Amino acid sequence: MIYTTRDSTVDHLSVPDGVQRIRIDRGVHIELEADLGYFEFHKQIALARMAAALHQCGAGAYLVGHSAALARGCDIKEHNPDVEMVGAKAARRSPRWLPVCQYYSAKDKREFVAHPVKILKRRARCLHEPVEVISGLPVTSIPDTILDVAQYSKPLAALVAADSLIRRHCKASRFERATSLDAQQEIKARLMRLLHQRAGYPGTVQAKAVIEWMSCLSESVGESVVRWALLVYGLRDMELQTRIDTRKGTYYPDIFFRRSGIGIEYDGVGKYDDGQTLHNQSVRQYALQRQGVEMARISGTSLQALIVFLQDVHSLVASRQGVVKLEPVHALGRLNRFYME
């Protein structure tokens, strides 16, 4: 972080080549490498905004909710999240805004703009574990953070963050499935007991559903989004990262319907950038088909067509299993005709 006394825009001519200087707040700037990837770039901006907000509030402030999850290195749904924190003072009715970032590159001398974000000051809640310091940022513990996002965030965002948090807490691995699921069951039981103490408060019904359906075996935001959509659509009977042995090797579909033998694979952006990876995936697809597993694939660029994908999966499952009764998890929200929420 670079702190200056002036509020005027920093002179971009002084920025070295290969570096971009970013205005986080009045008199607060950071410098990042110019070739950072999209997601890492926005993550660094979000972390800097959190540090600036904590600096303004002084001693006693700490991050909660999605801000605490992001500070721990966990995945969240938003690229430009608001700063959620508990300050030394009571919550304000009107949240303060962190201004628009201004980016400067000495190489092309262009100015860019990012979305402004709010500093959301929450009222202090009863914490079940002490506040921890991660990379210099005070944050709530993983159990407290899971309860916070599960109860007070939108359902999809809550499930994405809860998946990532519980995965980090359990140190989960598809190769140690039994151990990971045992650790998950233990933390879920504890969270349910803590949630019982909040009975009657707003959001407890949603929080119970998020805790019940979150999974330490979900390995990316995209996988969490697809699983959330399946649950809301009504296809509950699924397993994650199930081991399937074939003549060509051992494979772990992201999502697997055991009764019907239908697997789902989420392909992140850039997964098939090289020919060798594409060949390996073709071999994998053929090997799984020889074992009787029919694979359905969805990519990060086609999530907007999620409802059509869900209907296709439903048809595939029904063609092998017969009539499938849909049981939507209503507490996790609903699908709309364009996307989700």
Side-chain angles (χ1 to χ4, degrees):
M1 302 283 283
I2 302 172
Y3 294 96
T4 61
T5 56
R6 61 179 183 172
D7 293 338
S8 59
T9 302
V10 67
D11 183 6
H12 67 275
L13 297 177
S14 64
V15 181
D17 288 337
V19 172
Q20 48 192 332
R21 186 171 293 169
I22 303 168
R23 182 177 185 264
I24 299 299
D25 198 358
R26 291 182 300 176
V28 182
H29 305 83
I30 61 171
E31 290 185 352
L32 297 176
E33 296 178 5
D35 57 353
L36 275 181
Y38 176 85
F39 294 107
E40 182 63 23
F41 177 74
H42 283 276
K43 178 182 177 181
Q44 293 301 322
I45 292 176
L47 290 172
R49 281 170 155 167
M50 287 187 267
L54 289 169
H55 180 76
Q56 292 174 7
C57 292
Y62 56 88
L63 300 172
V64 299
H66 289 90
S67 294
L70 187 61
R72 289 182 174 275
C74 296
D75 297 324
I76 62 174
K77 182 174 175 288
E78 298 296 333
H79 294 163
N80 291 292
D82 294 328
V83 179
E84 301 177 55
M85 61 185 297
V86 169
K89 300 179 180 179
R92 300 175 181 175
R93 292 193 176 186
S94 300
R96 185 189 183 284
W97 287 83
L98 278 176
V100 174
C101 288
Q102 298 174 350
Y103 310 160
Y104 297 95
S105 170
K107 185 176 181 180
D108 53 24
K109 305 296 188 297
R110 289 187 298 166
E111 179 176 323
F112 303 89
V113 175
H115 296 291
V117 299
K118 297 176 183 177
I119 299 178
L120 303 175
K121 281 192 177 182
R122 311 296 192 190
R123 292 188 182 276
R125 305 186 183 102
C126 178
L127 299 180
H128 304 285
E129 294 184 4
V131 171
E132 304 171 9
V133 178
I134 305 294
S135 300
L137 300 176
V139 300
T140 51
S141 65
I142 287 182
D144 283 320
T145 306
I146 291 176
L147 287 171
D148 201 23
V149 298
Q151 190 168 0
Y152 298 108
S153 302
K154 291 184 178 180
L156 174 55
L159 187 65
V160 169
D163 280 348
S164 188
L165 285 161
I166 196 173
R167 177 175 176 79
R168 182 168 292 268
H169 177 81
C170 298
K171 300 179 181 178
S173 168
R174 64 173 72 172
F175 307 112
E176 298 178 357
R177 180 185 178 87
T179 303
S180 300
L181 292 179
D182 287 344
Q184 172 179 278
Q185 191 62 32
E186 181 181 345
I187 184 64
K188 279 189 175 185
R190 184 186 172 205
L191 289 171
M192 284 296 189
R193 290 194 298 270
L194 296 175
L195 186 63
H196 183 70
Q197 300 173 10
R198 302 186 181 188
Y201 284 80
T204 51
V205 173
Q206 173 186 296
K208 182 179 179 181
V210 170
I211 293 170
E212 178 183 356
W213 291 104
M214 67 183 180
S215 175
C216 64
L217 295 176
S218 183
E219 297 182 345
S220 70
V221 172
E223 290 179 29
S224 296
V225 169
V226 173
R227 196 173 89 263
W228 172 86
L230 288 166
L231 291 169
V232 172
Y233 188 79
L235 296 171
R236 300 187 181 194
D237 188 21
M238 67 183 102
E239 302 174 8
L240 273 65
Q241 306 299 337
T242 301
R243 176 180 174 135
I244 300 178
D245 295 315
T246 72
R247 295 178 62 183
K248 295 293 184 180
T250 301
Y251 300 106
Y252 299 84
D254 294 333
I255 298 171
F256 184 57
F257 295 89
R258 185 175 292 277
R259 289 181 59 192
S260 58
I262 302 297
I264 296 178
E265 190 74 14
Y266 171 76
D267 302 327
V269 178
K271 185 170 183 178
Y272 302 124
D273 285 343
D274 62 274
Q276 184 60 44
T277 302
L278 185 59
H279 172 72
N280 293 341
Q281 289 298 321
S282 299
V283 172
R284 179 179 187 267
Q285 185 95 352
Y286 176 74
L288 288 170
Q289 286 178 349
R290 291 288 299 270
Q291 291 296 116
V293 177
E294 183 74 23
M295 293 298 296
R297 315 188 76 92
I298 183 169
S299 67
T301 57
S302 61
L303 282 177
Q304 295 292 342
L306 194 54
I307 294 180
V308 175
F309 175 77
L310 293 173
Q311 294 169 344
D312 291 342
V313 171
H314 185 196
S315 299
L316 278 174
V317 173
S319 68
R320 291 192 168 204
Q321 189 177 319
V323 178
V324 179
K325 182 181 178 181
L326 297 178
E327 299 177 291
V329 183
H330 297 293
L332 290 180
R334 63 185 180 86
L335 294 159
N336 62 37
R337 60 176 295 191
F338 298 109
Y339 189 40
M340 323 160 247
E341 288 294 4

